[in-house]
Amino acid sequence: MAETVDARGLSCPQPVILTINRIKALGKGSIEVFVDTDTSKENVSRAATSKGWEVKNIKPDGTGYKVTIEKA
């Protein structure tokens, strides 16, 4: 079961900070990050990659995006 970070309605750097905090707490696994801007989508993806996580999927979700990241 994937963990969830709901960062909709938040402006950068909040979505990145929330995502990195969850990454640090989990260490590995799967996280679904919900964001509502292109900038947040790109920044969250870049931050996850920089921490050694893989961006598995980016899907439109309502008015925003669901970014799925994983680390084995």
Side-chain angles (χ1 to χ4, degrees), residues 5-18:
V5 172
D6 189 350
R8 292 174 283 206
L10 301 175
S11 58
C12 278
Q14 280 302 109
V16 172
I17 292 169
L18 292 174

Side-chain angles (χ1 to χ4, degrees), residues 35-64:
V35 295
D36 54 5
T37 67
D38 289 335
T39 302
S40 293
K41 171 188 73 167
E42 295 302 323
N43 290 344
V44 164
S45 297
R46 235 185 332 270
T49 301
S50 76
K51 296 295 182 187
W53 287 61
E54 182 180 354
V55 177
K56 296 299 267 184
N57 202 346
I58 299 174
K59 288 185 178 179
D61 183 72
T63 59

